[in-house]
């Protein structure tokens, strides 16, 4: 097991390892006396992992209650939040009790927000089960629900008391969600983590070809990504968490350096919007990273060849690198982005494959980057 300490105002440890769902009770025991623990999960994850977590907690002397809501982004809303508050209240959960978020980023975000607000704050633990949640959403304390006007518009900063990341759970994650998480890992590579890039760049190029022997784009691999990365998963997650922690600890409340984590996201969000959210977030970010690298090369900021190298890494990771939307469509979608402020846009631009710089540009110049 790898332990990584996150030195935010309220410090906590991220535990990463194979089979450690069985250690949830032991890990909790070191943090909180026997109490009631509310495990919140979704309809995909609960049948797979609820019992294991529950057994481990009961063995350690905790009373367990469960709440399961329908899987998917559509559940990340105020209704689910209100149902959680009511469930906690009916179960007479107190501030001496605890909450566990068992699932992907949706479960983590809505449960973390419920934990921040019920009784003005109850301790909670993140148990991420998607690759994206392991490397991104479970660390850093951002919690939220979506509103009709947009994603993540109501939320709170609320650090968990621990993160328990069992790498075995990724074995049941659908392929598309594995590559989604991989896009965020590759992002950490380009932000400066050599080891992550080495791992993804070293993946085999077993691409699918069409009837004419021409490689197909997008989900190009003949092997599921999980099969290709499973032996390195613990290291990939640990390195990614270290990268995320380094930005979060420098800028816990997202007013400066944490914006580097938006590499590929400004154009990625525009692509997601243009696809009517048919394209997943990680896949849109993959295309966004390549586009910003290409634009950076055109602007003389990015070392020539960087976009090609990134394209190859993304393809090996079963990620798309192109989309059909034209610059005009991306421009109008991109200017809706909530990260736009005061007529300025913050872009994170690769200098080379292993480092980035922040550029603040007037919105009028955004079209030059598309
Ligand atoms: P998700 O929670 O919807 O999970 C994706 C799908 O995988 C769901 O259907 C889920 O039920 C299923 N699943 C999860 N783990 C599984 C497993 N081990 N086996 C089988 N199925 C499994 O989405 P996600 O991709 O994990 O996270 C996306 C969400 O995270 C978005 O709402 C996004 O806004 C949020 N997010 C938050 C932060 C943050 O800092 N808080 C950062 C990035 C993303």
């Amino acid at each position: 097991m790898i332990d990584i300490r996150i030195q935010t105002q309220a410090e906590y440890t991220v535990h990463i390892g194979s089979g450690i769902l069985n250690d949830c009770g032991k890990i909790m025991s070191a943090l909180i006396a026997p109490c009631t623990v509310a495990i919140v999960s979704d309809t995909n994850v609960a049948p797979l992992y609820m019992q294991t977590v529950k057994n481990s907690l009961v063995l350690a002397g905790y009373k367990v209650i469960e709440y399961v809501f329908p899987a998917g982004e559509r559940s990340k809303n105020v209704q689910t939040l209100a149902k959680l508050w009511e469930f906690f209240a009916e179960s007479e959960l107190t501030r001496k009790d605890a909450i566990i978020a068992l699932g992907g980023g949706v479960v983590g975000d809505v449960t973390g927000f419920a934990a921040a607000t019920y009784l003005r704050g109850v301790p909670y633990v993140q148990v991420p089960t998607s690759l994206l949640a392991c490397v991104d959403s479970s660390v850093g304390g951002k919690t939220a629900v979506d509103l009709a006007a947009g994603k993540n518009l109501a939320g709170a900063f609320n650090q968990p008391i621990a993160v328990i990341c069992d790498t075995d759970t990724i074995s049941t994650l659908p392929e598309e969600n594995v590559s989604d998480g991989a896009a965020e890992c590759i992002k950490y590579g380009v932000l400066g983590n050599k080891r992550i890039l080495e791992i993804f760049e070293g993946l085999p190029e077993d691409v699918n070809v069409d009837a004419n022997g021409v490689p197909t784009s997008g989900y190009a691999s003949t092997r599921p990504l999980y099969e290709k990365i499973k032996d390195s998963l613990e290291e990939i997650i640990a390195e990614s968490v270290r990268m995320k922690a380094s930005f979060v600890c420098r800028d816990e409340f997202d007013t400066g350096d944490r914006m580097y984590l938006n590499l590929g996201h400004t154009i990625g969000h525009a692509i997601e919007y243009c696809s009517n959210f048919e394209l997943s977030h990680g896949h849109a970010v993959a295309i966004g990273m390549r586009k910003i690298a290409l634009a950076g090369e055109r602007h003389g900021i990015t070392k020539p060849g960087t976009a090609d190298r990134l394209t190859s890494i993304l393809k090996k990771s079963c990620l798309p690198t192109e989309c059909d939307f034209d610059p005009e469509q991306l421009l109008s979608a991109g200017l809706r982005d909530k990260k736009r402020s005061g007529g300025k846009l913050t872009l994170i631009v690769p200098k080379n494959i292993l480092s980035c710089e922040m550029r603040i540009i007037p919105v009028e110049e955004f079209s030059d980057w598309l």
Side-chain angles (χ1 to χ4, degrees):
M1 181 160 75
I2 300 174
D3 285 352
I4 299 171
R5 194 80 182 143
I6 311 294
Q7 288 170 320
T8 38
Q9 275 176 21
E11 289 191 23
Y12 55 101
T13 300
V14 180
H15 308 270
I16 303 160
S18 159
I20 65 169
L21 283 188
N22 295 299
D23 299 333
C24 281
K26 205 169 76 190
I27 293 169
M28 291 278 289
S29 304
L31 299 168
I32 194 158
C35 61
T36 300
V37 178
I39 309 177
V40 181
S41 191
D42 74 22
T43 44
N44 290 337
V45 176
L48 296 167
Y49 303 114
M50 178 69 87
Q51 199 58 46
T52 308
V53 175
K54 189 174 171 179
N55 289 349
S56 164
L57 290 169
V58 169
L59 214 64
Y62 294 95
K63 180 189 166 200
V64 173
I65 54 173
E66 301 165 33
Y67 188 90
V68 177
F69 62 77
E73 184 73 29
R74 278 205 198 139
S75 287
K76 202 176 126 178
N77 58 29
V78 187
Q79 287 75 26
T80 306
L81 180 67
K83 283 182 191 160
L84 275 173
W85 285 332
E86 295 295 348
F87 169 72
F88 297 153
E90 280 159 20
S91 312
E92 297 179 357
L93 209 69
T94 72
R95 294 173 68 186
K96 291 208 164 93
D97 296 318
I99 296 168
I100 288 185
L102 171 67
V106 166
V107 171
D109 278 13
V110 69
T111 307
F113 190 28
T117 43
Y118 175 70
L119 298 182
R120 299 186 186 85
V122 175
Y124 83 112
V125 173
Q126 291 273 14
V127 183
T129 62
S130 71
L131 184 55
L132 185 136
C134 292
V135 300
D136 193 354
S137 58
S138 65
V139 179
K142 278 192 185 177
T143 71
V145 293
D146 302 335
L147 302 182
K151 278 189 66 171
N152 298 323
L153 290 186
F157 286 96
N158 182 28
Q159 303 293 346
I161 58 167
V163 180
I164 301 168
C165 176
D166 185 337
T167 51
D168 294 353
T169 60
I170 308 306
S171 65
T172 56
L173 191 66
E175 171 71 0
E176 188 191 357
N177 299 104
V178 179
S179 55
D180 246 348
E184 299 292 347
C185 300
I186 293 165
K187 176 191 82 179
Y188 294 126
V190 181
L191 285 172
N193 191 297
K194 201 168 169 211
R195 184 63 194 131
I196 295 177
L197 281 185
E198 268 170 12
I199 293 172
F200 281 96
E201 203 157 27
L203 295 180
E205 275 199 59
D206 46 355
V207 291
N208 260 331
V209 289
D210 66 16
N212 302 316
V214 178
T216 52
S217 65
Y219 317 93
S221 180
T222 51
R223 266 199 296 161
L225 181 58
Y226 174 72
E227 289 301 320
K228 297 209 250 176
I229 61 172
K230 66 179 182 194
D231 293 338
S232 311
L233 208 46
E234 197 171 287
E235 194 181 6
I236 290 171
I237 293 173
E239 288 299 323
S240 298
V241 168
R242 285 194 186 103
M243 286 299 290
K244 173 124 192 203
S246 72
F247 287 98
V248 166
C249 295
R250 286 207 296 272
D251 176 24
E252 184 170 350
F253 299 104
D254 199 8
T255 54
D257 271 4
R258 198 163 167 167
M259 287 183 201
Y260 275 96
L261 299 171
N262 289 330
L263 170 64
H265 283 58
T266 305
I267 299 178
H269 285 152
I271 294 169
E272 259 184 300
Y273 184 80
C274 287
S275 79
N276 213 5
F277 294 91
E278 295 276 307
L279 201 66
S280 67
H281 176 72
H283 289 195
V285 166
I287 301 168
M289 282 195 286
R290 176 173 178 266
K291 276 190 179 292
I292 199 75
L294 281 170
E297 287 188 22
R298 283 199 306 274
H299 281 77
I301 298 167
T302 308
K303 186 178 162 199
T306 302
D308 279 349
R309 201 167 154 195
L310 183 57
T311 306
S312 154
I313 295 170
L314 295 170
K315 283 193 168 158
K316 286 176 182 173
S317 311
C318 312
L319 283 159
T321 53
E322 282 168 39
C323 65
D324 294 334
F325 309 113
D326 60 41
E328 285 301 310
Q329 287 171 293
L330 294 177
L331 182 65
S332 62
L335 294 184
R336 294 176 64 262
D337 196 289
K338 69 182 159 72
K339 285 174 188 73
R340 171 168 57 99
S341 61
K344 304 265 186 210
L345 262 181
T346 303
L347 292 180
I348 307 304
V349 186
K351 287 194 281 191
N352 53 52
I353 197 69
L354 205 55
S355 75
C356 293
E357 69 174 52
M358 194 185 287
R359 286 263 160 153
I360 299 172
I361 58 156
V363 286
E364 299 77 40
E365 287 179 17
F366 189 37
S367 59
D368 300 342
W369 293 82
L370 294 166

